[in-house]
Amino acid sequence: MPVFHKLIHLSKQIASSLLKDKQPVRLEQSELFSDEDKAYIIKSLTEDASIKERLDLINKIDTKTDWETVKNKIVLPAKKRNWTYPAAAVLVVAVMSVYFIKFNLSTASSVKSPVISGAIEVGTNKAILTLEDGSNVTLEKGDSFNTKTVYSNGEQIVYNAKESKKSEVAYNYLTVPRGGQFSLKLSDGTKVWLNSESQLKYPITFKDGEDRKVELIYGEAYFDVTSSEDYQGAGFVVSNSRQNIKVLGTEFNVKAYKDEANIYTTLVEGKVAVSIDGVTENLLPDQQSILDTNTKSFTVGSVDVNIEISWKDGVFSFDGLTLKEIMKVLSRWYDIEVVFLNKATENEEFIGILSKDQKIEDILYTIKNFKIIKDYEIIDNTVILK
Amino acid sequence: MFYLDLDSPKRKYVKNAAKYTLSLKQYKAFFNLLYTPLCLFSNKYIEDLDTSKDIVQDVFIKIWEDKIEFQNENNIKSYLYTSVKNKSIDYLQTKQYRLKDRLSIQNLEKLESEDFFSREVVIIETSIIIERAINTLPNKCANIIRLSFKNLSNIEIAMELGISLNTVKTQKKIGYKRLKPLLKDYVALVAFLFGVGTH
């Protein structure tokens, strides 16, 4: 069934549209179905009688009881220890509460424990706020900070929209260190999530009638920009020393780390234009532009946006990244240095999800279990992969 | 290769992935996730829920007993839906069934077609996502969202539920706000790590 995964993907897109009270455009454009079938699908999903019929059936299905029936009919692996299954360690999945499934890491540990000296902490919500007078305030969970213009509960920071607009534009900086993440709401209502090792410069209030400008000095940020229409038509510009992005009410992710030659801009919703030295590329939803800052050229392609932006929802998703690239992401969140003793392992590819709240040891243990690395060692903040 | 399926529509890495049988935990997780939709699916063919349940249970038992190997979540879903379809069609051709009901040749042809299969998979998968997402909302909010995608206007919803128009608007807002992250997560619903050999 070559198209089966397309059916599953399309189902998610239709569900997403309907739940957002939007037209299921992806179904309308789909080549998988005739017009007649499309109409039938919509009718089955939205018509009262069909919904009720389905709910009545669902209520007659008792998964728990029937699982017991099935379980009693199968031979459980306890009786046959030498089953072919290679101890499957499964990482962690953060899911909807209705069917939260969490797998424990494999506990077959007759293996010698790796050397670990020094504890590596999981990253937390933290940031440093630099005020207009140059003074710094540390924002951390449990600490609140309050002035006339801004309020923070230590997990996020919110700028007051009603504060009088002075003619002089005053800027604040929010710096998120390694091992941190933070979110903020600008005075125009735009929401920004900042990933580890990132810095954003922004005005306390925006001038009426002018483009709203912020600067992602370095790092990764996700923007949910309030519509220009709600803001007297003023556009929103995210600049960086290497690239500009002009937007008109939208959601997108920008990744511009200092130690990476590429800048990644991923559009989730709306419309943005990325530009460098007069070269401009328009992005559509689900597209990503990659700016190679050495050649100053853009490449635009389609991506799975959920993978690109999962970091802000508490997970890292990887779709075919190498272990080296993944370790770079992890090093920012856990504030660690990573050393590969065996260079060949650097290019092992991963597809998967890591929950951001697990300990680095758990992740390393899994990788070790899969024999990608022989062993690992943790000395202070350095992880050595052998 | 270290492989943890994301249920991504991109298949390029799947080719490299080894196939493995399920652990009991994974097996149970898939049962919990797919038993209801598969029963609904079988019922579309045979219109008999109790027999549908038997068919789906038999398919699940077969996976375990035969140690059938899979690569990823889509691979399992595809196998399950296809097996349930085949078994349901088989049932329609049994004597037991034919004594009770008579199925015309045209009808059987329609049920056997790919189009029917695809259409019903999409309807069931979509409705299950919607149902499970809405079930996470508070009752009042859930009712309003349910009515809203039956294409009822805010005023109609207010009248139907006997509440104020403003309540409808506020509850809708709350509902969408809460659903939004869930929808994003849905892609990451079941991530499975299918073991790797040495490479």
Side-chain angles (χ1 to χ4, degrees):
Chain A
M1 186 68 48
V3 297
F4 190 82
H5 70 279
K6 288 189 186 162
L7 298 176
I8 299 299
H9 191 59
L10 179 64
S11 304
K12 286 171 188 167
Q13 290 171 329
I14 300 172
S16 180
S17 301
L18 289 176
L19 284 166
K20 287 181 198 156
D21 208 5
K22 289 180 184 161
Q23 286 297 317
V25 185
R26 301 292 170 105
L27 174 66
E28 286 159 15
Q29 295 165 349
S30 172
E31 287 164 11
L32 295 170
F33 295 102
S34 66
D35 286 347
E36 195 189 333
D37 276 347
K38 286 176 188 174
Y40 181 88
I41 290 170
I42 291 299
K43 192 172 139 233
S44 302
L45 290 169
T46 57
E47 203 186 59
D48 229 359
S50 316
I51 295 173
K52 191 170 175 308
E53 188 193 342
R54 210 161 32 234
L55 284 179
D56 286 346
L57 286 170
I58 289 175
N59 286 334
K60 285 184 198 145
I61 300 170
D62 183 349
T63 305
K64 222 172 161 181
T65 310
D66 292 350
W67 164 249
E68 290 302 320
T69 312
V70 168
K71 204 173 97 183
N72 289 331
K73 283 187 187 168
I74 60 170
V75 183
L76 294 174
K79 291 173 194 162
K80 29 178 182 174
R81 208 52 220 166
N82 289 334
W83 203 42
T84 53
Y85 189 68
V90 174
L91 297 178
V92 175
V93 194
V95 195
M96 298 154 65
S97 54
V98 262
Y99 40 158
F100 185 86
I101 306 161
K102 185 175 175 177
F103 297 92
N104 294 319
L105 290 158
S106 166
T107 47
S109 53
S110 54
V111 243
K112 195 172 59 116
S113 312
V115 179
I116 297 173
S117 68
I120 291 171
E121 311 261 332
V122 176
T124 54
N125 289 329
K126 61 185 164 200
I128 296 153
L129 172 66
T130 308
L131 296 168
E132 50 276 32
D133 63 3
S135 61
N136 286 333
V137 183
T138 305
L139 306 171
E140 225 164 334
K141 205 176 171 180
D143 293 345
S144 64
F145 173 74
N146 234 325
T147 71
K148 226 166 47 181
T149 45
V150 59
Y151 165 76
S152 172
N153 61 0
E155 299 196 24
Q156 56 171 345
I157 182 166
V158 177
Y159 281 82
N160 195 340
K162 291 188 192 78
E163 179 56 22
S164 64
K165 293 180 173 62
K166 296 176 193 138
S167 54
E168 194 80 3
V169 181
Y171 288 93
N172 282 4
Y173 290 78
L174 194 65
T175 311
V176 180
R178 287 165 76 91
Q181 61 181 4
F182 219 77
S183 61
L184 76 156
K185 194 168 165 185
L186 298 172
S187 61
D188 67 337
T190 292
K191 285 177 235 147
V192 188
W193 284 260
L194 282 173
N195 206 344
S196 307
E197 207 178 6
S198 303
Q199 190 178 52
L200 186 76
K201 178 187 176 185
Y202 50 90
I204 298 168
T205 55
F206 294 101
K207 263 192 186 170
D208 282 344
E210 287 183 17
D211 273 355
R212 298 163 284 168
K213 285 181 188 162
V214 301
E215 186 177 352
L216 179 65
I217 298 178
Y218 56 83
E220 178 166 25
Y222 182 83
F223 292 88
D224 181 351
V225 179
T226 49
S227 167
S228 307
E229 286 158 31
D230 299 341
Y231 209 76
Q232 300 155 340
F236 193 97
V237 177
V238 180
S239 66
N240 179 272
S241 59
R242 300 180 288 180
Q243 170 187 281
N244 278 315
I245 306 169
K246 168 125 186 179
V247 303
L248 300 155
T250 183
E251 291 184 35
F252 63 101
N253 193 70
V254 194
K255 188 160 79 166
Y257 278 107
K258 284 179 288 188
D259 56 356
E260 288 179 27
N262 291 340
I263 295 182
Y264 301 84
T265 308
T266 312
L267 183 60
V268 178
E269 252 176 61
K271 216 159 88 179
V272 306
V274 288
S275 62
I276 178 173
D277 297 347
V279 182
T280 301
E281 284 285 346
N282 289 306
L283 295 186
L284 299 171
D286 296 341
Q287 280 190 338
Q288 180 180 64
S289 69
I290 304 173
L291 169 66
D292 181 334
T293 54
N294 294 326
T295 62
K296 297 194 172 180
S297 59
F298 286 109
T299 320
V300 177
S302 290
V303 290
D304 185 339
V305 292
N306 294 296
I307 290 179
E308 301 298 318
I309 63 168
S310 66
W311 61 268
K312 83 179 207 354
D313 299 319
V315 291
F316 290 122
S317 300
F318 305 112
D319 186 5
L321 285 194
T322 64
L323 190 55
K324 191 180 177 188
E325 291 167 317
I326 290 169
M327 282 299 159
K328 199 170 214 173
V329 174
L330 296 182
S331 69
R332 293 182 187 125
W333 180 237
Y334 292 96
D335 191 11
I336 50 173
E337 298 300 325
V338 180
V339 178
F340 284 84
L341 288 188
N342 177 1
K343 293 281 169 206
T345 57
E346 287 184 357
N347 297 320
E348 284 288 348
E349 284 187 353
F350 281 66
I351 294 179
I353 301 174
L354 295 173
S355 167
K356 286 172 82 171
D357 60 10
Q358 60 185 333
K359 285 160 73 182
I360 185 81
E361 287 92 332
D362 293 341
I363 295 169
L364 296 172
Y365 186 80
T366 310
I367 299 172
K368 183 184 160 184
N369 248 7
F370 279 84
K371 300 191 172 66
I372 288 160
I373 54 169
K374 287 200 191 73
D375 204 355
Y376 63 91
E377 211 174 302
I378 298 176
I379 299 168
D380 298 326
N381 266 19
T382 304
V383 172
I384 300 164
L385 304 178
K386 297 181 176 173
Chain B
M1 174 157 166
F2 190 96
Y3 187 85
L4 176 57
D5 180 51
L6 245 188
D7 196 12
S8 154
K10 297 179 201 162
R11 302 277 284 184
K12 55 188 171 178
Y13 301 103
V14 173
K15 285 185 213 115
N16 304 333
K19 285 187 160 189
Y20 286 98
T21 44
L22 300 171
S23 71
L24 185 62
K25 271 185 183 168
Q26 288 176 327
Y27 180 70
K28 186 179 176 185
F30 273 115
F31 187 89
N32 285 335
L33 198 63
L34 296 170
Y35 183 66
T36 300
L38 288 168
C39 287
L40 294 178
F41 183 66
S42 175
N43 190 60
K44 276 285 161 190
Y45 288 89
I46 65 175
E47 292 177 0
D48 173 353
L49 190 63
D50 285 332
T51 311
S52 295
K53 288 178 185 174
D54 291 341
I55 288 175
V56 176
Q57 288 173 25
D58 285 349
V59 168
F60 265 100
I61 290 167
K62 188 176 160 55
I63 291 183
W64 186 262
E65 295 301 315
D66 293 357
K67 294 172 197 159
I68 293 177
E69 299 182 326
F70 299 104
Q71 286 175 331
N72 56 37
E73 191 193 341
N74 275 340
N75 193 224
I76 294 176
K77 274 191 175 170
S78 167
Y79 174 92
L80 287 167
Y81 273 106
T82 311
S83 304
V84 168
K85 172 198 166 180
N86 292 340
K87 284 219 159 209
S88 304
I89 300 275
D90 287 350
Y91 172 77
L92 293 177
Q93 290 168 336
T94 55
K95 247 191 191 159
Q96 186 193 348
Y97 176 83
R98 277 188 294 180
L99 282 178
K100 218 164 27 116
D101 305 79
R102 290 249 329 258
L103 195 69
S104 69
I105 304 279
Q106 290 103 313
N107 264 342
L108 189 63
E109 267 173 12
K110 186 187 135 203
L111 291 178
E112 282 180 314
S113 72
E114 290 280 291
D115 285 350
F116 184 85
F117 175 91
S118 300
R119 194 183 83 184
E120 293 305 325
V121 167
V122 167
I123 292 170
I124 287 167
E125 282 284 316
T126 309
S127 61
I128 288 282
I129 297 171
I130 291 174
E131 201 40 47
R132 284 175 175 162
I134 289 180
N135 271 340
T136 64
L137 296 175
N139 260 343
K140 191 175 185 182
C141 199
N143 287 338
I144 291 169
I145 302 279
R146 278 205 181 92
L147 291 174
S148 82
F149 70 79
K150 277 191 244 160
N151 283 329
L152 259 63
S153 70
N154 286 350
I155 296 171
E156 286 168 323
I157 295 172
M159 281 163 64
E160 169 101 21
L161 296 176
I163 52 178
S164 80
L165 185 60
N166 265 339
T167 313
V168 174
K169 285 182 186 164
T170 335
Q171 289 290 328
K172 258 188 161 178
K173 240 186 196 157
I174 296 171
Y176 292 136
K177 209 171 160 190
R178 289 184 54 159
L179 285 174
K180 209 171 162 189
L182 290 183
L183 292 173
K184 279 177 184 157
D185 278 351
Y186 200 85
V187 170
L189 195 55
V190 194
F192 279 88
L193 188 61
F194 280 79
V196 282
T198 43
H199 202 64

